[in-house]
Amino acid sequence: MIRLYHRPQTRSVRIHWLLEEMGLDYELETLSDAAWQSSDYRKINPFGKVPTLVDGDVTIWESTAITDYLLATYDDGQFAPPPGTPDAAEHMSWRHFAEATLISTVADYAINTFWRPDEERLADVAQYAKEAVQPILDVLNAHLDNREFMLGSAFSATDVMVGHAAISCQMLDLIGPDRAHLERYATSMRARPAFLKISADW
Ligand SMILES: N[C@@H](CCC(=O)N[C@@H](CS)C(=O)NCC(=O)O)C(=O)O
């Protein structure tokens, strides 16, 4: 049985959502503050971060790596293009972009505008992140012109990774009035049945 070590309002939401999209059986282990910071948790995730996924003998962390694992182990071609194709390369590019370029910048903004208590927020970092994300969102918005999903007309695991960031931007008022494609995309991702099942995570 797959077990997801999870916290609401974190990157583990993406894996929770993907598990629902893929229709897999899983157990959700929502960590308390104490469990998250415990030495026991560091035995399965050396950085003490979420998500971590355990599946039998397999323990895997880093959410993009977890999506790689779930696709390689359980996907029958529904959630990713065939390996070694141009579509697969595009799928990998955008899926990694979602963590490495997009959500890392959005998270700096979120942490310093609402996640941390007031006295721990760094206004300079929030301002920097808000400025840094603008050209990234412009590219994403342009990409979504005439595309229902990140790869065109078919939903894929990339939409969970990028969709999570798009929804976060919508909630944080980062999309702005001139990015209609991104706005439409975020709204449509939020309406997906699998997303609605995990929406209490937000
Ligand atoms: N690149 C990692 C980032 C994981 C990460 O930073 N998770 C945050 C929550 S969004 C966390 O657990 N932070 C706790 C900490 O840093 O102590 C991934 O995608 O899994």
Side-chain angles (χ1 to χ4, degrees):
M1 172 69 87
I2 294 171
R3 173 174 293 244
L4 174 64
Y5 290 83
H6 171 70
R7 288 274 295 197
Q9 295 190 324
T10 70
R11 287 163 165 94
S12 65
V13 168
R14 303 182 287 200
I15 306 303
H16 192 192
W17 180 7
L18 183 60
L19 289 166
E20 285 292 341
E21 291 281 358
M22 294 180 78
L24 296 172
D25 287 334
Y26 62 93
E27 289 171 353
L28 196 64
E29 178 83 31
T30 301
L31 297 169
S32 64
D33 286 349
W36 196 5
Q37 285 150 21
S38 68
S39 52
D40 274 355
Y41 185 58
R42 276 169 179 68
K43 287 178 190 155
I44 61 165
N45 185 320
F47 299 101
K49 295 184 186 287
V50 286
T52 304
L53 186 131
V54 176
D55 184 16
D57 293 343
V58 172
T59 298
I60 184 159
W61 38 270
E62 280 292 335
S63 30
T64 313
I66 295 172
T67 65
D68 286 341
Y69 172 78
L70 290 174
L71 292 170
T73 311
Y74 294 109
D75 185 33
D76 56 3
Q78 197 184 336
F79 293 94
T85 61
D87 283 353
E90 190 180 9
H91 174 71
M92 282 191 283
S93 299
W94 284 115
R95 200 155 44 84
H96 283 265
F97 150 86
E99 171 60 26
T101 302
L102 180 54
I103 203 68
S104 51
T105 311
V106 174
D108 280 345
Y109 180 75
I111 286 167
N112 290 292
T113 51
F114 89 100
W115 267 339
R116 283 190 180 144
D118 276 358
E119 65 279 10
E120 290 176 25
R121 291 177 192 172
L122 302 173
D124 288 358
V125 175
Q127 185 57 31
Y128 173 79
K130 188 174 185 177
E131 286 168 20
V133 84
Q134 301 305 319
I136 300 171
L137 296 184
D138 284 341
V139 173
L140 190 54
N141 183 60
H143 178 79
L144 287 164
D145 185 9
N146 288 319
R147 284 186 178 88
E148 183 179 0
F149 301 109
M150 284 301 295
L151 301 184
S153 57
F155 179 86
S156 69
T158 292
D159 292 299
V160 171
M161 293 292 282
V162 176
H164 161 266
I167 293 166
S168 301
C169 287
Q170 195 178 50
M171 290 173 159
L172 292 162
D173 271 337
L174 284 173
I175 293 184
D178 300 326
R179 298 189 184 103
H181 310 306
L182 184 54
E183 184 71 33
R184 181 257 311 148
Y185 177 74
T187 301
S188 75
M189 290 298 109
R190 284 169 92 157
R192 292 186 64 79
F195 176 84
L196 293 174
K197 282 194 184 167
I198 60 98
S199 59
D201 277 0
W202 299 70

